[in-house]
Amino acid sequence: MQIQDFSKHIDQTVTIKGWLTNRRSSKGLVFLVLRDGSGFAQCIIDEKVVGEEKLKIADTLPQESSIELIGKVVKDERQIGGYELQVSDFNIITKAEEYPITNKEHGVDFLMDNRHLWLRSKRQWAIMRIRNRIIFAIHQFFQENGFVEMDAPIITGNACEGTSTLFETDFYEKPAYLSQSGQLYGEAMAMAMGKIYTFGPTFRAEKSKTRRHLSEFWMIEPEMAFYDLAQNMDLIEQFLKSVLKRVLADCKTEFEILERDTKMLENAANIPFTKLTYTEAVAVIKGEKEINGKNAITTLEEDLKAVQEKIVAVQKEIEEREAKANDPNLKKGEKNFNRNKADQLKNDIKDLEEQARNIPQWLLSAKNFEFGNDLGGSDETVITRLFDTPVMVYNWPHEVKAFYMKRDEQDPRLAKGVDVLAPEGYGEIVGGGERETNKEWLVEKIKEHKLPMEAFEWYLDLRRFGSVPHSGFGLGLERLICWICKLQHVRESIPFPRMMGRFLP
């Protein structure tokens, strides 16, 4: 049986198999924390029950040894998951070698080099469980709302988002590219099926090392025939709310492990999203438009002051913790606790110092933002800092949007696009809009973007034969996970991240 099933077997004797993640001992007792993939559980080995020899064996087991435990499940709200196992016997399956990842703080590069092992930690386990639930919730929403899942090719002969971010490969002695998006193919499939969605890996060769960028990531891309921009925006909001409600209901343990305050997620799941035109968004960024009495520029200035004060406070605590760690009068356990806490605070202060460097740049960028520019990550942060729900920015200057975005009939300077910006500074998680149906304008945009016309003749056929108004959007799975889990970096949102400078393990 598995740890997740303990609630069904209270006061019963069960057998579980798993890996040792932590061990401590007291007189006549050894406390093992076991993980089996479904959860974590404290397992108590008592010398009076198993004997002196077996207790000694248990007390020397290395971390990540695999073991089989037999014992009684006891309800105890103070323990991990609310239950513990009182062990009557155990068998060693494999005694592990010295494990490189210990309970102390490790640097990011070390953990990334050992990603195949780092995945076993409690925090990474929780993130991957939430990722799994998000994926299932996505499929549930679309399948329950009349969508057909379809698959777009990964190897393509044309760009979708511009030629500068393509990974080129050889396809039987002809140049081909790894897909940047399944969207163009999604349009073709929607003309056959009505409402479809694709869910697969996409690739962008951006030479970027920001917290938001991966070279390989997963995209969810629905396309809907007979949908305009307003219907598309309604669908996006319904979709995100549905996913949030399901994840919040089913991942309480995982959120507790991550120490994630879910209030903001609950707001997003239940309160209408904020909608701003691009013009309004620019006014917010520049501090010309206030939101509920809050001004973007003054809010950033207050944030900078708070971060600077926090740095001073954390530096003081580090000094105090290190003094205790070196105090010869303290017990070893208390010394180690303070040493580990100081190491953790040193990592925290790196994030704070990065914020202290970034905020002045964000302020300068906000004050000097020019109408017609695309929104950068800092601009998105400035906007979302003022809201407790996702923000939908729509009706953009057509120059900053993809060639396939439909022009506004009332104002051809604008494109009927929409970006959804997640609160708490996480920025864009969804990009979409209504698709252009005017063949001549599409041809003009293909030429403007210097794309090979012959590669898009099939795409133009969609306008030649039974063209209809249609819309769609793309959701970056890893960016959604980052926001929901409140991760500092996108690298933790995917099992094995691929980004500039990183393709192993």
Side-chain angles (χ1 to χ4, degrees), residues 426-485:
Y426 281 89
E428 183 190 346
I429 53 174
V430 173
E434 193 171 337
R435 313 312 188 189
E436 184 57 77
T437 53
N438 185 306
K439 183 165 68 71
E440 285 67 35
W441 273 0
L442 261 182
V443 169
E444 177 187 318
K445 294 295 285 187
I446 290 170
K447 290 178 179 177
E448 181 184 312
H449 284 258
K450 298 180 180 178
L451 299 171
M453 190 63 67
E454 64 277 9
F456 291 91
E457 285 298 332
W458 71 268
Y459 184 65
L460 294 173
D461 276 349
L462 305 180
R463 277 67 182 172
R464 296 183 178 111
F465 307 110
S467 181
V468 300
H470 59 290
S471 300
F473 62 88
L475 166 74
L477 175 64
E478 285 74 24
R479 288 193 179 186
L480 178 63
I481 293 167
C482 273
W483 169 47
I484 288 178
C485 294

Side-chain angles (χ1 to χ4, degrees), residues 191-229:
M191 296 305 107
M193 310 301 291
K195 295 193 296 186
I196 68 96
Y197 71 106
T198 65
F199 197 152
T202 50
F203 306 84
R204 304 280 172 91
E206 292 174 274
K207 292 184 177 180
S208 176
K209 288 188 175 181
T210 75
R211 296 177 178 218
R212 299 182 182 186
H213 282 88
L214 290 170
S215 298
E216 176 186 275
F217 55 98
W218 287 72
M219 286 277 284
I220 300 90
E221 297 179 286
E223 287 290 327
M224 299 79 64
F226 306 105
Y227 267 57
D228 60 19
L229 176 62

Side-chain angles (χ1 to χ4, degrees), residues 177-279:
Y177 310 96
L178 298 182
S179 176
Q180 299 166 314
S181 165
Q183 186 245 304
L184 301 185
Y185 296 96
E187 289 187 50
M189 293 184 283
M191 296 305 107
M193 310 301 291
K195 295 193 296 186
I196 68 96
Y197 71 106
T198 65
F199 197 152
T202 50
F203 306 84
R204 304 280 172 91
E206 292 174 274
K207 292 184 177 180
S208 176
K209 288 188 175 181
T210 75
R211 296 177 178 218
R212 299 182 182 186
H213 282 88
L214 290 170
S215 298
E216 176 186 275
F217 55 98
W218 287 72
M219 286 277 284
I220 300 90
E221 297 179 286
E223 287 290 327
M224 299 79 64
F226 306 105
Y227 267 57
D228 60 19
L229 176 62
Q231 292 169 303
N232 191 25
M233 290 171 66
D234 287 344
L235 182 75
I236 293 170
E237 184 168 355
Q238 293 164 15
F239 163 63
L240 288 174
K241 286 180 182 294
S242 173
V243 171
L244 286 169
K245 287 175 181 177
R246 295 179 200 264
V247 174
L248 286 166
D250 294 344
C251 295
K252 290 182 173 62
T253 298
E254 290 82 355
F255 284 125
E256 287 174 6
I257 289 171
L258 296 176
E259 298 180 344
R260 172 55 156 136
D261 182 349
T262 58
K263 182 179 179 181
M264 195 74 76
L265 303 178
E266 290 160 5
N267 285 343
N270 295 289
I271 298 173
F273 289 3
T274 300
K275 296 179 176 64
L276 300 174
T277 65
Y278 171 86
T279 303

Side-chain angles (χ1 to χ4, degrees), residues 112 115 214 490-491 494-499 502-505:
M112 289 301 295
R115 181 63 174 166
L214 290 170
V490 73
R491 64 183 161 229
I494 189 168
F496 291 96
R498 296 292 179 255
M499 50 196 179
R502 172 70 59 181
F503 63 92
L504 289 175

Side-chain angles (χ1 to χ4, degrees), residues 286-298:
K286 295 176 72 66
E288 298 167 354
K289 178 182 175 68
E290 293 194 346
I291 303 296
N292 298 324
K294 294 171 69 176
N295 182 283
I297 300 300
T298 56

Side-chain angles (χ1 to χ4, degrees), residues 80-121:
I80 307 168
Y83 302 90
E84 69 178 19
L85 189 74
Q86 295 179 349
V87 178
S88 55
D89 198 6
F90 68 89
N91 299 300
I92 299 171
I93 299 171
T94 303
K95 188 174 182 178
E97 298 178 22
E98 185 176 352
Y99 196 60
I101 301 178
T102 64
N103 291 323
K104 71 175 186 178
E105 289 293 317
H106 292 282
V108 170
D109 287 339
F110 175 84
L111 292 172
M112 289 301 295
D113 289 340
N114 289 277
R115 181 63 174 166
H116 54 298
L117 302 177
W118 188 23
L119 284 170
R120 302 180 185 187
S121 71

